[in-house]
Amino acid sequence: MAKSKYALGLDFGTNSVRALLVDVSDGEEIATHVWDYRRGEAGVIIDIKDPHLARQHPQDYLDGISSAVAGALENAAGRKGFSPKDVIGIGVDTTGSTPIPVDASGLPLAFDKNFKANPNALAWLWKDHTGYAEAEDITAAAARLRPQYLAKCGGKYSSEWFWSKILHCLRVAPAVFDAAYTWVECADWIPAVLTGTTAPNALKRCVCAAGHKAMFNPSWKGYPDDEFLGSVDERLVRVRRKLPEKAYTIADSAGGLTPDWAIKLDLPQGIPVAVGAFDAHLGGVGSGIEPGTLVKIVGTSTCDMMVWPLDKPLADIPGLCGIVPGSILPDAYGLEAGQSAVGDIFNWYVNYVAPGGPELGSHEALTKAAERLKPGQSGLIGLDWHNGNRTVLVDQRLTGLLLGITLHTTPAEIYRALIESTAFGARIIAERFEEYGMNVKRVVNCGGIAAKNPLVMGIYADVIGKPMEISRSAQTCALGAAVAGAVVAGARAGGYADFHGAMKAMTGVQKKKYLPKPENVKTYDRLYGLYHRLHDAFGTRGYSENLYDVMKTLLAIRDEARG
Amino acid sequence: MAKSKYALGLDFGTNSVRALLVDVSDGEEIATHVWDYRRGEAGVIIDIKDPHLARQHPQDYLDGISSAVAGALENAAGRKGFSPKDVIGIGVDTTGSTPIPVDASGLPLAFDKNFKANPNALAWLWKDHTGYAEAEDITAAAARLRPQYLAKCGGKYSSEWFWSKILHCLRVAPAVFDAAYTWVECADWIPAVLTGTTAPNALKRCVCAAGHKAMFNPSWKGYPDDEFLGSVDERLVRVRRKLPEKAYTIADSAGGLTPDWAIKLDLPQGIPVAVGAFDAHLGGVGSGIEPGTLVKIVGTSTCDMMVWPLDKPLADIPGLCGIVPGSILPDAYGLEAGQSAVGDIFNWYVNYVAPGGPELGSHEALTKAAERLKPGQSGLIGLDWHNGNRTVLVDQRLTGLLLGITLHTTPAEIYRALIESTAFGARIIAERFEEYGMNVKRVVNCGGIAAKNPLVMGIYADVIGKPMEISRSAQTCALGAAVAGAVVAGARAGGYADFHGAMKAMTGVQKKKYLPKPENVKTYDRLYGLYHRLHDAFGTRGYSENLYDVMKTLLAIRDEARG
């Protein structure tokens, strides 16, 4: 029997970095370590005067690589037969769009003394919404001049994305904008750091970030053109001109691990580091994504991922965050949808509202009480827009709603209604895929909530009306990154020639599935009808039906549920 | 100088009875005592299976008379020159519509062994909503056959009222219905008990309860006619036939205090007891109501009272709970509007949701934090329908709504939004009066919240755009009852010949007024516009405008408020 080989997955989240060592033969996760960012609030640098602002310091990323890998290797040390020398490849996933302004050498401006205290020189974290007005300007310009750009990103360009953030920086912090030679996605910067390719002319940019967040598409030869960008702001053309023509998939290697990093991390020099991708996309890989499988990464927010063969026709799907060839698997279109807040809503309720005090108001206590409720019994319905709506409305300027409140409404009823509202939001997304011909044959869930919250998964099964499968791995994004590491290492090094072989060997689902209960499905179908009307009434310009019956119908459903 | 004379006011609330001894010369409140009901939850007998049910046991009323009066007399005992012998008259106010089924001798069925455990034999408390379907049936029948009945009660007959409750009893508890010789309002039963006139043929029924809750009106010669009631249910005709032709005002005496009660209470035998009225109506009297003055009794719910000279023309006002000649002052139309829940909403939030745990979640702590917020700053807006809507929609099947929630929304922001939502509801009522020609020249507030909550009163001033005056008395309903006691005693006994003289001497407002701040008024005008649209969208069948801009406008106002 051949000696085991290992791949390393590095997963850069919102609050921490995870390193995961995986046996490439069967996907066994032999050691992991999580290192929490040190700066800001749980790694996020905020501004109490502006709730839209969310930044990170690149130093946290660098510290995170060393500490997380060291921790994982330490945890693997007890493993019989394991040696760091048998690590054959590295994969990287990060949040995004998280662009970082860098100088001509590729060094982030956050390391420049002149910008030490300037939040605009930091990494602009995915959930930074300061560029909401800029997103509207870009959307308006594209609607006028380049509707094809919008067709690939759901009809609206988001404040969370690359160009909105750069345009906002240009407007509010021209000194930072002028000092930036270019802007680099975190997902590109980490592999470049590890392989010594941060210099702008050496850097490989991933199609995942470029395609989903920066309007890159082969059908118009890469990034958006000068005329379009110039119509938004002439200075954006300068940014455009420094961007490359080509973007890479995770099947490509960014380079080999540098001698410095090899020593620092105690890993073999020169092992390939895969081009990066966003966490959700590699979460899809770690969940064994294939056509017909909807992979939901359910955590603080959700990402909903599907793939579609490159050689089959596919319509543009309005409201999706992106349709990008090669963004998940190299040989397929990658489609990304998502909800701007899911676990964040439950956390807001438990931590900010803190119902019932510390004893009754924990997730555990509320879950226990909410489990005892029947669908419809509370008479409540909500809109899950506490952090805006990413899909299908693509609108950050939407807010949460709760309706049906009475003097008898309990904290657990509200908790369950919040969960249900996210389930209805999830169903909107699944239905949008199906409306455009992408049948959802399976739903595989991963992420913290999928792994740990049977109440949420049970409600999702009942609301969406399909079995909810759970990814075998509890750290699917990092596993997906390790799969990429195994693929760029190649079969000769003990890895794999392609993703299909690698995913078949290294990923899978748990035996336990959450099956929809027909009686609950029936009640939730009725509630979903009401949700959809509220969704359309507050989220679209086209709805003008009377809502008089909404509260009555909720009460009728409630009275039936209570018998 | 003549020896002081005193009037006793008895105020039967939802949770307790208050006795108040007042010096009739100047309204000085010389002693009071509150006795909490012993049965149910704080005096209210509920059914956890049916949130609509709310009943009271008449024994609590009887115990309450003795205990509250004894307590007040004990507290007055130290008062120099006071003697119980100088009490010249008694007035009574109660909640309502709170009908009690009684036998042929006038004894409540709750005292009948056969119905000991039957909640339908108890007093049906004002906030009992079990008869909501019956209210719809009565409304539908009236719309078809007797639109004039509806015109006097706002266009809808409520589940809180006399006939809805009796009809519901008839349907769900025919044995109780059959055993009841007649049904007596609590406001009529208490004066009858004190004067020995509970026998149905001796009982004086007040125009306040009959007119506002039982469709009694001189213009159609009293109670609704047989044909109409028979069209709803033939058995209601039996109830109708036992009701008298005449109803009385608070200027009338129900009789003299019986020897038994005189001994039990240590009060002079034979002193007159005024015909009863509802708490809110006597709250109007205790606040010195007159044409042009809107009296708001702001407590767990609100009542909004106005009067209008009998000899001046007055249109029917849609959505008001009633327009009844003599129901507040004998020589004026009494108009009643109200909000089904105000303090109850704040209490629900603090006690049920219990945000922030016991330390941060008290009314005091939330008030302190909410005071620091500017109008519009939270981005939240709510509908205050947690207990339905009494005015102007007259619809118990409406529920609360909260909109504009984000991941940063705090408990204090929600608290303030709940207060604001009740202020918007209050403005709807004030505007409805004015739309029909009744100018609101002054607003006088009384009740627990008016006396104790500057935040609420300040917001009401800013939202309604008028100064909020506060009644001098902290127990205005009981004071109003005492005023009635002074009037039925008459000038010869040291009381008054009429209410105008009595109110002038015995009532008044505090020096401190809450004045609207122009800047806040401006912001609240914009928010009220949004409230009104949500109000119409969910509360009426006629609204079909798009609501897409609601969340955007709230965010725009929020961003401006935050500067």
Side-chain angles (χ1 to χ4, degrees):
Chain A
M1 190 178 139
K3 199 165 181 324
S4 286
K5 299 291 179 188
Y6 304 92
L8 172 66
L10 288 175
D11 166 38
F12 291 77
T14 301
N15 312 115
S16 60
V17 187
R18 174 185 296 277
L20 177 69
L21 285 163
V22 182
D23 187 325
V24 299
S25 68
D26 59 2
E28 191 189 352
E29 299 171 5
I30 66 154
T32 189
H33 185 72
V34 174
W35 185 83
D36 293 327
Y37 298 134
R38 292 286 188 265
R39 288 162 180 82
E41 287 203 5
V44 182
I45 293 152
I46 58 168
D47 177 352
I48 48 164
K49 277 193 240 147
D50 182 359
H52 295 301
L53 189 142
R55 307 282 157 86
Q56 285 183 325
H57 200 296
Q59 187 63 48
D60 260 344
Y61 303 145
L62 297 178
D63 296 345
I65 300 173
S66 310
S67 303
V69 172
L73 288 176
E74 202 181 308
N75 291 339
R79 173 92 181 185
K80 201 176 163 187
F82 173 80
S83 158
K85 287 179 192 134
D86 297 322
V87 175
I88 59 172
I90 300 175
V92 173
D93 72 85
T94 74
T95 69
S97 172
T98 303
I100 307 168
V102 302
D103 66 17
S105 75
L107 190 74
L109 295 184
F111 296 122
D112 184 326
K113 271 184 202 165
N114 296 322
F115 298 111
K116 211 177 167 183
N118 193 329
N120 301 305
L122 298 167
W124 293 49
L125 188 61
W126 66 275
K127 67 177 176 178
D128 186 291
H129 293 150
T130 50
Y132 65 85
E134 287 77 9
E136 282 175 21
D137 293 348
I138 293 168
T139 300
R144 215 169 49 239
L145 301 171
R146 299 290 184 272
Q148 64 272 33
Y149 292 179
L150 292 183
K152 298 289 177 208
C153 66
K156 275 191 185 179
Y157 194 77
S158 164
S159 64
E160 293 189 358
W161 299 347
F162 192 74
W163 293 108
S164 301
K165 284 167 170 167
I166 296 173
L167 182 57
H168 187 68
C169 179
L170 182 165
R171 288 180 180 170
V172 301
V176 172
F177 177 80
D178 288 340
Y181 178 83
T182 186
W183 292 68
V184 179
E185 282 283 350
C186 180
D188 298 328
W189 191 68
I190 306 288
V193 163
L194 290 171
T195 58
T197 58
T198 53
N201 62 348
L203 182 89
K204 284 186 186 166
R205 296 184 189 249
C206 65
V207 72
C208 178
H212 283 288
K213 312 298 182 187
M215 289 177 161
F216 179 99
N217 200 291
S219 68
W220 50 82
K221 295 182 184 149
Y223 288 95
D225 62 72
D226 286 1
E227 187 195 342
F228 166 70
L229 289 172
S231 81
V232 178
D233 193 301
E234 198 46 54
R235 290 163 291 182
L236 288 181
V237 176
R238 277 159 42 194
V239 181
R240 166 68 178 93
R241 292 207 173 141
K242 286 166 191 157
L243 293 172
E245 274 174 36
K246 187 172 156 55
Y248 295 83
T249 76
I250 52 170
D252 296 305
S253 166
L257 191 67
T258 66
D260 279 2
W261 277 107
I263 291 165
K264 204 182 292 180
L265 301 181
D266 189 25
L267 289 175
Q269 184 182 327
I271 54 169
V273 179
V275 162
F278 291 143
D279 38 17
H281 294 67
L282 281 173
V285 172
S287 300
I289 198 165
E290 62 182 355
T293 299
L294 169 62
V295 173
K296 290 179 67 67
I297 295 106
V298 190
T300 52
S301 63
T302 73
C303 286
D304 295 57
M305 321 297 295
M306 289 194 81
V307 292
W308 188 253
L310 283 180
D311 53 4
K312 277 176 103 175
L314 175 65
D316 294 330
I317 307 183
L320 255 69
C321 310
I323 304 172
V324 176
S327 71
I328 299 174
L329 297 177
D331 59 353
Y333 289 102
L335 292 95
E336 185 194 345
Q339 293 171 266
S340 302
V342 172
D344 268 349
I345 296 178
F346 315 151
N347 286 334
W348 162 76
Y349 185 58
V350 166
N351 300 328
Y352 268 62
V353 179
E359 203 174 310
L360 298 168
S362 67
H363 284 292
E364 293 71 22
L366 287 167
T367 296
K368 221 168 161 181
E371 274 169 349
R372 286 194 289 267
L373 299 168
K374 282 185 237 164
Q377 186 184 334
S378 69
L380 296 171
I381 198 158
L383 287 173
D384 52 323
W385 300 344
H386 298 58
N387 195 28
N389 177 292
R390 197 186 289 157
T391 309
V392 299
L393 300 171
V394 198
D395 188 347
Q396 295 301 338
R397 302 280 285 175
L398 291 173
T399 49
L401 174 152
L402 188 67
L403 186 153
I405 313 166
T406 75
L407 296 176
H408 301 278
T409 298
T410 66
E413 286 175 338
I414 296 174
Y415 192 67
R416 187 172 175 117
L418 294 173
I419 294 172
E420 289 168 346
S421 72
T422 68
F424 296 134
R427 177 163 165 183
I428 294 257
I429 293 172
E431 289 189 351
R432 179 57 57 101
F433 279 121
E434 297 205 311
E435 282 159 20
Y436 285 81
M438 300 185 68
N439 275 349
V440 176
K441 290 178 211 150
R442 290 175 63 203
V443 183
V444 177
N445 296 273
C446 61
I449 287 178
K452 290 181 214 156
N453 203 316
L455 174 64
V456 173
M457 284 296 107
I459 290 174
Y460 277 40
D462 289 339
V463 166
I464 298 171
K466 297 181 194 287
M468 292 295 116
E469 300 183 56
I470 311 296
S471 177
R472 199 173 58 202
S473 171
Q475 36 214 351
T476 331
C477 302
L479 175 60
V483 169
V487 171
V488 290
R492 261 218 313 215
Y496 294 91
D498 63 35
F499 277 90
H500 302 281
M503 286 194 297
K504 201 176 163 194
M506 295 174 72
T507 71
V509 294
Q510 295 179 14
K511 271 192 197 152
K512 178 176 172 53
K513 292 179 194 183
Y514 296 87
L515 300 177
K517 295 174 206 75
E519 199 187 309
N520 292 355
V521 170
K522 233 166 120 185
T523 304
Y524 278 134
D525 272 347
R526 294 169 70 192
L527 291 170
Y528 178 66
L530 297 178
Y531 174 91
H532 214 311
R533 289 174 58 202
L534 293 171
H535 175 280
D536 293 353
F538 288 100
T540 74
R541 290 176 208 273
Y543 190 89
S544 61
E545 285 172 42
N546 180 256
L547 296 167
Y548 176 75
D549 60 306
V550 171
M551 290 178 180
K552 319 287 180 208
T553 307
L554 274 174
L555 291 178
I557 294 171
R558 180 194 73 178
D559 293 346
E560 283 172 40
R562 292 184 180 179
Chain B
M1 191 178 141
K3 199 166 182 318
S4 286
K5 299 290 179 187
Y6 304 92
L8 171 67
L10 288 175
D11 166 37
F12 291 77
T14 300
N15 312 114
S16 60
V17 188
R18 175 185 295 277
L20 177 69
L21 284 163
V22 182
D23 186 325
V24 299
S25 69
D26 58 3
E28 191 188 352
E29 299 171 4
I30 65 155
T32 190
H33 184 72
V34 174
W35 185 82
D36 294 327
Y37 298 134
R38 293 286 188 266
R39 289 164 180 82
E41 288 203 4
V44 182
I45 292 152
I46 58 169
D47 177 353
I48 48 165
K49 278 192 239 148
D50 182 359
H52 294 301
L53 188 143
R55 308 280 157 88
Q56 285 184 324
H57 199 295
Q59 186 64 46
D60 260 344
Y61 303 145
L62 297 178
D63 296 345
I65 299 172
S66 309
S67 303
V69 172
L73 287 177
E74 200 181 309
N75 292 338
R79 172 92 183 187
K80 200 177 161 184
F82 173 80
S83 157
K85 287 179 194 136
D86 297 323
V87 175
I88 59 171
I90 300 175
V92 174
D93 72 85
T94 74
T95 68
S97 171
T98 303
I100 307 168
V102 302
D103 66 18
S105 75
L107 190 75
L109 296 184
F111 295 122
D112 182 329
K113 272 184 199 165
N114 297 322
F115 299 111
K116 211 177 169 184
N118 193 328
N120 301 305
L122 298 168
W124 293 50
L125 188 61
W126 66 275
K127 66 177 175 178
D128 186 291
H129 293 150
T130 50
Y132 64 84
E134 288 76 10
E136 283 175 21
D137 293 349
I138 294 168
T139 301
R144 216 168 49 239
L145 301 171
R146 300 287 184 276
Q148 66 271 32
Y149 291 179
L150 292 182
K152 298 290 176 206
C153 67
K156 274 191 188 180
Y157 194 76
S158 164
S159 64
E160 294 189 357
W161 299 347
F162 192 74
W163 293 108
S164 300
K165 285 167 170 168
I166 295 173
L167 182 56
H168 187 68
C169 179
L170 182 166
R171 288 180 180 169
V172 301
V176 172
F177 178 80
D178 287 340
Y181 178 84
T182 185
W183 292 68
V184 179
E185 282 282 351
C186 180
D188 297 328
W189 192 68
I190 306 287
V193 162
L194 291 171
T195 58
T197 58
T198 51
N201 63 347
L203 182 91
K204 284 186 186 166
R205 297 185 187 247
C206 65
V207 73
C208 177
H212 284 287
K213 311 300 180 186
M215 289 176 161
F216 179 101
N217 200 291
S219 68
W220 52 80
K221 295 183 185 148
Y223 289 95
D225 62 72
D226 287 1
E227 187 194 340
F228 166 70
L229 289 173
S231 81
V232 178
D233 193 300
E234 197 48 50
R235 288 163 292 181
L236 288 180
V237 177
R238 277 159 40 194
V239 180
R240 166 68 178 93
R241 292 204 174 145
K242 286 167 192 157
L243 293 173
E245 273 174 36
K246 186 172 157 54
Y248 295 84
T249 76
I250 51 170
D252 296 305
S253 165
L257 191 66
T258 65
D260 279 3
W261 277 106
I263 291 165
K264 206 183 288 182
L265 301 180
D266 187 25
L267 289 174
Q269 184 183 328
I271 55 169
V273 180
V275 162
F278 291 145
D279 37 18
H281 294 68
L282 282 173
V285 172
S287 298
I289 198 165
E290 61 183 353
T293 299
L294 169 62
V295 173
K296 292 179 66 66
I297 295 107
V298 189
T300 52
S301 63
T302 74
C303 287
D304 295 58
M305 322 297 296
M306 289 194 81
V307 293
W308 189 253
L310 284 180
D311 54 2
K312 279 177 102 175
L314 175 64
D316 293 329
I317 307 183
L320 254 70
C321 312
I323 305 172
V324 177
S327 71
I328 301 175
L329 297 177
D331 59 353
Y333 289 103
L335 292 95
E336 185 193 346
Q339 293 170 266
S340 302
V342 172
D344 268 349
I345 296 178
F346 316 151
N347 286 334
W348 161 76
Y349 184 59
V350 166
N351 299 328
Y352 269 62
V353 179
E359 204 173 310
L360 297 169
S362 68
H363 284 293
E364 293 70 22
L366 287 167
T367 296
K368 223 168 160 181
E371 273 168 351
R372 287 194 289 266
L373 299 168
K374 281 185 237 163
Q377 186 184 334
S378 68
L380 295 171
I381 199 158
L383 288 174
D384 52 322
W385 300 344
H386 298 58
N387 196 26
N389 178 293
R390 197 185 290 156
T391 309
V392 297
L393 301 171
V394 198
D395 188 347
Q396 295 301 337
R397 304 278 286 174
L398 291 173
T399 50
L401 174 152
L402 188 66
L403 185 154
I405 312 165
T406 76
L407 297 176
H408 301 278
T409 298
T410 67
E413 287 176 337
I414 296 174
Y415 192 68
R416 189 174 174 114
L418 293 174
I419 294 172
E420 290 168 346
S421 72
T422 68
F424 296 135
R427 178 163 163 182
I428 294 257
I429 293 172
E431 289 190 351
R432 178 57 57 101
F433 279 120
E434 297 204 310
E435 281 158 22
Y436 285 80
M438 300 183 69
N439 275 348
V440 176
K441 290 177 211 149
R442 292 174 63 203
V443 183
V444 177
N445 295 272
C446 61
I449 287 179
K452 289 182 215 155
N453 203 315
L455 174 65
V456 172
M457 285 296 107
I459 290 174
Y460 277 40
D462 289 339
V463 167
I464 299 172
K466 298 182 193 286
M468 292 293 117
E469 299 182 57
I470 311 296
S471 178
R472 199 174 59 203
S473 170
Q475 38 215 350
T476 330
C477 302
L479 175 60
V483 170
V487 171
V488 290
R492 262 219 312 214
Y496 293 92
D498 62 38
F499 277 89
H500 302 281
M503 288 194 297
K504 202 176 164 197
M506 294 175 71
T507 72
V509 294
Q510 295 180 13
K511 271 190 197 155
K512 178 175 173 57
K513 291 179 195 184
Y514 296 87
L515 300 177
K517 296 174 205 76
E519 200 188 310
N520 293 354
V521 170
K522 232 168 121 184
T523 304
Y524 279 134
D525 272 347
R526 294 169 70 193
L527 291 170
Y528 178 66
L530 297 177
Y531 174 90
H532 214 311
R533 288 174 58 202
L534 294 171
H535 175 280
D536 292 353
F538 289 100
T540 74
R541 291 177 207 271
Y543 191 89
S544 61
E545 283 172 45
N546 180 257
L547 296 167
Y548 175 75
D549 61 304
V550 171
M551 290 178 180
K552 320 286 181 209
T553 307
L554 274 174
L555 290 177
I557 294 171
R558 179 194 73 177
D559 294 347
E560 283 172 41
R562 292 184 181 180

